[in-house]
Amino acid sequence: MTFHALVDLDGTITDPRPGILGAYRHALTSLGLEAPPADDLLWVIGPPLRHSFPKLGVVPERINDALEHYRAFYQAGAMFDAPVYTGMPETFDVLRAEGVRLILATSKPHVMARPILEHFRLDHHFHAIHGSELDGRNDDKGDLLAHILAEEGVDPAKAVMIGDRLFDVKAAQRHGIPSIGVLWGYGGHHELTEAGATHLCAAPDALAALVTAVRAGRA
């Protein structure tokens, strides 16, 4: 049976801070709202846009306007302002060589995730690329994983979810999939531990060995 690694994008493969925070601040100012300093917006990296904008003062009837401003700015180039974490391409090389099938599992719309992976020449590593829809479907990470399991024939007992936020951990738990919480992203040790991550990984160069251990039942 093929072993699958379901991999988050933002905060796991790439550091999206410059592009995402710039897009959020642009959307807020375009609506006439005050944009918090970038350092006060780090919490928005991970959750779906529709969940975060209300917490930033956007009223329900203006959420779609905020999304339009955000996406226009983001797709104009900010989406590529997200450097790849050192060691991730090499990790993917190792996992693929060991027969692990990689599937992208991001709350970001797949129409944005795919060109990001292509831009950084990472798309060839992935058997499939899955994300949310622009209309909000599969915004919830648990719903997204349900979609992936059905579409790709993934056996939860032969899979692992890799991500940096509690949303990745909770989604994996919902489907009985072990999780690896990565500590170089935006969740951090406390959030991932409290969420119940099965394993923690401190650095990209340790990730392939940990996935191999999970696959073999040694972790």
Side-chain angles (χ1 to χ4, degrees):
M1 176 71 73
T2 300
F3 189 85
H4 291 87
L6 312 178
V7 190
D8 176 49
L9 178 59
D10 294 338
T12 301
I13 300 174
T14 63
D15 182 356
R17 173 176 173 163
I20 285 181
L21 300 191
Y24 262 103
R25 299 186 84 250
H26 170 78
L28 292 172
T29 56
S30 296
L31 295 179
L33 298 172
E34 181 178 354
D39 287 346
D40 293 338
L41 281 174
L42 296 180
W43 61 271
V44 304
I45 300 175
L49 301 177
R50 287 179 178 81
H51 292 186
S52 298
F53 273 124
K55 298 176 182 179
L56 291 166
V58 180
V59 295
E61 56 269 24
R62 300 219 66 188
I63 294 298
N64 286 338
D65 294 333
L67 290 172
E68 288 181 7
H69 288 301
Y70 177 99
R71 288 170 176 166
F73 184 92
Y74 194 66
Q75 292 181 287
M79 62 195 294
F80 302 125
D81 196 358
V84 177
Y85 287 110
T86 300
M88 288 306 293
E90 293 79 8
T91 293
F92 294 151
D93 283 335
V94 172
L95 291 175
R96 288 176 62 226
E98 293 180 352
V100 175
R101 181 175 286 177
L102 302 174
I103 295 177
L104 191 77
T106 175
S107 294
K108 185 188 298 297
H110 59 82
V111 296
M112 298 179 189
R114 187 177 298 276
I116 290 171
L117 291 182
E118 291 173 351
H119 176 81
F120 291 112
R121 299 180 181 178
L122 296 174
D123 54 306
H124 68 282
H125 289 296
F126 291 86
H127 172 73
I129 296 171
H130 288 277
S132 65
E133 303 294 338
L134 291 174
D135 63 6
R137 283 175 294 159
N138 293 330
D139 266 0
D140 179 89
K141 204 61 167 278
D143 292 345
L144 176 66
L145 292 194
H147 171 77
I148 292 172
L149 296 182
E151 286 289 312
E152 304 297 340
V154 174
D155 179 356
K158 298 291 184 180
V160 65
M161 177 71 214
I162 302 167
D164 70 310
R165 297 299 311 273
L166 64 91
F167 313 101
D168 303 301
V169 174
K170 295 297 186 183
Q173 289 172 346
R174 173 174 154 185
H175 297 286
I177 301 172
S179 58
I180 295 175
V182 303
L183 298 176
W184 55 85
Y186 287 89
H189 191 284
H190 177 74
E191 176 179 307
L192 291 167
T193 301
E194 190 171 74
T198 317
H199 310 281
L200 296 177
C201 185
D205 61 8
L207 182 58
L210 182 53
V211 172
T212 298
V214 172
R215 181 186 189 183
R218 300 195 307 269

